[in-house]
Amino acid sequence: MIELSLQHRFGAPGWRASGRDEGFALDARIDAPGEGVTALFGPSGCGKTTVLSAVAGLLRPQQGRVVLDGTPLLDTARGICVAPERRRCAVVFQDARLFPHLSVETNLRYGLRRAPAESGGPSFDEVVALLGIAHLLGRRPAALSGGERQRVALGRALLARPRLLLMDEPLAALDAPRRAEVLPFLGRLRAAARLPILYVTHALDEVDALADHLVLMQEGRVVASGPVEALSARTDLPLAARRDAGVLLSCTVIESGPEGLTRLGFDGGTLVATIHPGAPGTRLRVRLRARDISVATEEPRGISMRNVLPVTLAEIRPAPEPAEAFLRLDAGPTPLLARVTRDSVARLGLYPGMRLWALVKAVTLDHRAAGPS
Amino acid sequence: MGALRFRARQVIGLAPEEWQAVRLSLEVATRSVLVSLVPAVGIAWLLARGRFPGRMFLDALVHLPLVVPPVVVGWALLMLFGIRGPIGAPLHDWFGIRLVFTTEGAALATAVMSFPLIVRAVRLGLENVDPGLEAAARTLGAGPLDRFLTVTLPLMSPGILAGAVTAFAAGLGEFGAVITFASNIPGETQTLPLAIYSATQTPGGEAVAARLAAISFALAVAGLLLAELIARRMYLLLGRA
């Protein structure tokens, strides 16, 4: 359990110019669960990295409290401020920050050597195997690619046997192929680490792939927080304004059928998709983008769409675009979001409570990553 | 060893007293670097990272020997470290240490003169160290001394080495402060430049002066080349070539 409450103003007297706008103020309260990945998500400059620095102890907020599993790391009211080196909150920085004068192996052991003897966690060999960096151990960081560097940084942080792992946009400095290379390792680390992770990002696909819990931030404040799936179904959040807005569904592979199609089961129906996430039983998350879903008032025939789900129209909500509307559709207990034109709402005479068929093209489903197990 | 040294002297064609001046110069320069290295790292740290009132004053004080005439520096040392000086008197009375007119004194004067050179190089090396790496070491559990020894010091070592070699090369040629504070005693404080000066003042000493000047020149160039070479090698080692 991580309890955070931070107030900090940049540009105030006594603070050196930090490159931020004069008067940028952070006022955030966050309660993150003691396990799984909590993603701090928001546009650049919303204060998410500042929150992370305050938890790590690298920035001392003017007022605040940081409590990790009942241990106060910071409490300005009581004059408590534990030094970063004693917080045991390891950080994975955007720019890796490997020590250039040390070999990969010495880098990896840097935190391990300084961790308390009684601290448990994966062993050196386990971490090396997990991240696939055995062949890099003798090299210098300068001889590594960006993706390799970030993998070593992940291992170094994990081997410091932290109580909390902090990640500050660990993939943001990488190009698309390198990101695709590192992302699966993050997923594996997340499953193996068994410790809470605070993950700062502005990339939604990383949230989809890794996060259990989402904290949405904007202009120094927390806009909303909760389980990722729940927040993805809300239309009143900045998330809904994105072109890729839509519900995140936790699915299980039911079968890999003939013709290369995969049937995915979720709480409220099944979906046919062209992705191949794994053997039956594999858990994964897919984002059903609202703009990829259409609705019909009668069961359609003679169309190519493979997914026709009977649903109930729960709500018609305004969309950021005036000519569009969000439809909240209930497929059993699972809410879905569809984005349609207002004209269609009027033409079809849609009203809450109406029985509809939701249409989803099988080819629009993207494979994100394994969902929370 | 003695034979080898004798031969080296013969090859260059130096008289024993000339060779003595060369050796003394090397000794004085080495000692001056050894004496000033640790304080220079400390001062450079304060100047680069410290946030305290009087930092500008300290900065100016350190750089003073670059702008004040060396003779004045020598005179100031004479006032402070002379047998009746505020520092020299207790040193002499309690510990029996006399600095004026000794090799140690020549090394002290040389150290003071080359101190700004070392501080500047060390500071440059320190400013090249990414504070983000030190922050990373902190989050991995390294305390202040631990981080300094395992991260900061190795990463600033090119600056330290470059500073030491530059100061050594410059120290071989220190004249004004040495002659004022330590005087011009052959075998004791008569370093290369002082010997050259004495030679030019002696009738028929032109050949001696030329030989010593050539050696002085060669040593300085070798020192600078060595400094450059070491810095490059170090940066290569640190992966920042």
Side-chain angles (χ1 to χ4, degrees):
Chain A
M1 186 71 186
I2 310 146
E3 302 160 61
L4 287 175
S5 148
L6 302 168
Q7 283 94 45
H8 191 76
R9 180 175 283 278
F10 286 97
W15 279 88
R16 281 153 51 76
S18 54
R20 288 177 180 275
D21 291 343
E22 191 72 21
F24 172 83
L26 175 77
D27 187 356
R29 232 167 267 278
I30 297 168
D31 288 317
E35 54 184 20
V37 176
T38 300
L40 298 184
F41 180 81
S44 308
C46 72
K48 50 194 193 302
T49 293
T50 309
V51 170
L52 199 89
S53 304
V55 175
L58 298 175
L59 174 138
R60 192 171 179 170
Q62 282 134 4
Q63 279 177 58
R65 237 167 74 84
V66 176
V67 181
L68 176 61
D69 293 328
T71 317
L73 299 179
L74 173 81
D75 191 339
T76 48
R78 286 161 60 198
I80 298 174
C81 184
V82 178
E85 56 265 33
R86 283 194 292 274
R87 289 193 182 193
R88 299 189 52 212
C89 296
V91 187
V92 179
F93 298 92
Q94 186 177 330
D95 50 347
R97 300 201 187 170
L98 300 180
F99 304 124
H101 58 298
L102 303 177
S103 70
V104 166
E105 173 161 2
T106 321
N107 264 286
L108 286 169
R109 291 191 188 276
Y110 194 91
L112 183 62
R113 203 176 296 143
R114 288 159 178 83
E118 71 276 8
S119 60
S123 71
F124 181 81
D125 293 333
E126 280 166 5
V127 170
V128 167
L130 179 80
L131 296 168
I133 47 180
H135 60 296
L136 306 174
L137 290 179
R139 292 206 206 153
R140 290 288 174 122
L144 304 182
S145 73
E148 290 169 337
R149 243 173 254 178
Q150 210 51 279
R151 273 148 68 190
V152 174
L154 288 175
R156 186 178 68 172
L158 188 57
L159 281 171
R161 302 274 160 85
R163 298 167 61 192
L164 171 67
L165 203 48
L166 303 168
M167 301 205 189
D168 187 8
E169 309 213 26
L171 303 180
L174 305 177
D175 56 17
R178 297 285 92 71
R179 286 188 63 197
E181 169 203 324
V182 179
L183 196 54
F185 288 106
L186 272 171
R188 291 166 71 176
L189 181 143
R190 171 185 162 286
R194 309 210 168 283
L195 69 150
I197 298 175
L198 213 56
Y199 191 100
V200 163
T201 183
H202 66 264
L204 197 59
D205 60 334
E206 291 169 30
V207 173
D208 290 357
L210 301 168
D212 303 293
H213 197 82
L214 182 60
V215 176
L216 282 178
M217 292 192 65
Q218 205 165 33
E219 288 166 5
R221 288 172 186 279
V222 174
V223 182
S225 78
V228 184
E229 286 88 351
L231 291 196
S232 70
R234 282 173 59 177
T235 56
D236 59 334
L237 299 174
L239 280 180
R242 298 171 59 105
R243 295 305 297 166
D244 52 357
V247 170
L248 202 57
L249 275 187
S250 288
C251 305
T252 312
V253 176
I254 297 175
E255 56 171 349
S256 294
E259 296 102 35
L261 296 178
T262 303
R263 272 200 332 128
L264 305 171
F266 68 95
D267 201 4
T270 59
L271 289 168
V272 174
T274 52
I275 54 175
H276 302 284
T282 305
R283 295 180 58 78
L284 74 153
R285 276 207 294 230
V286 290
R287 181 170 284 271
L288 278 182
R289 285 177 296 257
R291 65 185 162 106
D292 290 339
I293 302 185
S294 16
V295 292
T297 52
E298 293 168 37
E299 186 165 6
R301 288 163 203 282
I303 57 165
S304 65
M305 293 199 195
R306 291 301 310 261
N307 296 302
V308 180
L309 304 166
V311 294
T312 308
L313 175 55
E315 208 180 349
I316 303 171
R317 310 246 345 174
E321 185 61 43
E324 296 176 2
F326 275 118
L327 305 180
R328 223 194 65 175
L329 311 166
D330 287 339
T334 305
L336 303 177
L337 279 182
R339 193 170 186 158
V340 297
T341 59
R342 285 199 168 276
D343 176 58
S344 297
V345 174
R347 225 162 17 85
L348 298 176
L350 300 182
Y351 58 89
M354 201 173 174
R355 300 273 300 152
L356 294 172
W357 277 265
L359 312 179
V360 188
K361 293 181 72 169
V363 296
T364 59
L365 297 180
D366 291 334
H367 179 200
R368 296 295 191 169
S373 39
Chain B
M1 187 63 202
L4 194 78
R5 200 182 288 164
F6 185 69
R7 235 170 280 137
R9 167 169 79 73
Q10 279 184 326
V11 167
I12 316 171
L14 288 180
E17 58 274 14
E18 294 164 14
W19 178 247
Q20 195 175 52
V22 173
R23 262 183 32 221
L24 197 61
S25 255
L26 292 171
E27 186 190 336
V28 164
T30 308
R31 281 183 172 200
S32 81
V33 169
L34 291 181
V35 163
S36 51
L37 211 49
V38 174
V41 171
I43 299 274
W45 176 276
L46 283 177
L47 291 178
R49 299 281 172 87
R51 296 276 168 271
F52 57 94
R55 195 171 63 96
M56 298 253 291
F57 177 74
L58 182 67
D59 200 6
L61 191 73
V62 166
H63 285 89
L64 223 47
L66 280 186
V67 286
V68 167
V71 176
V72 175
V73 173
W75 170 83
L77 288 173
L78 210 51
M79 292 297 106
L80 287 172
F81 290 92
I83 295 208
R84 307 209 181 286
I87 305 175
L91 272 184
H92 182 259
D93 297 346
W94 300 343
F95 304 103
I97 298 172
R98 186 170 66 92
L99 287 172
V100 277
F101 311 136
T102 62
T103 312
E104 289 78 21
L108 175 70
T110 306
V112 170
M113 286 308 295
S114 56
F115 197 65
L117 296 177
I118 303 198
V119 170
R120 282 173 86 93
V122 172
R123 186 174 167 181
L124 214 63
L126 181 58
E127 280 166 356
N128 269 327
V129 178
D130 176 6
L133 291 174
E134 294 164 303
R138 272 196 108 170
T139 62
L140 293 169
L145 186 65
D146 188 357
R147 329 192 254 287
F148 179 75
L149 292 178
T150 58
V151 177
T152 319
L153 198 60
L155 290 178
M156 67 191 282
S157 55
I160 296 178
L161 270 166
V165 178
T166 315
F168 178 80
L172 290 173
E174 182 46 44
F175 181 82
V178 173
I179 202 166
T180 313
F181 181 56
S183 183
N184 188 0
I185 308 162
E188 191 77 34
T189 68
Q190 192 184 68
T191 55
L192 257 177
L194 273 62
I196 295 172
Y197 170 75
S198 297
T200 58
Q201 301 298 306
T202 314
E206 290 85 359
V208 177
R211 277 202 300 275
L212 291 177
I215 289 173
S216 187
F217 183 76
L219 284 174
V221 170
L224 284 178
L225 287 179
L226 190 66
E228 187 61 30
L229 212 69
I230 288 176
R232 272 197 207 172
R233 179 93 194 98
M234 294 292 294
Y235 278 114
L236 214 66
L237 221 67
L238 300 179
R240 286 188 286 143

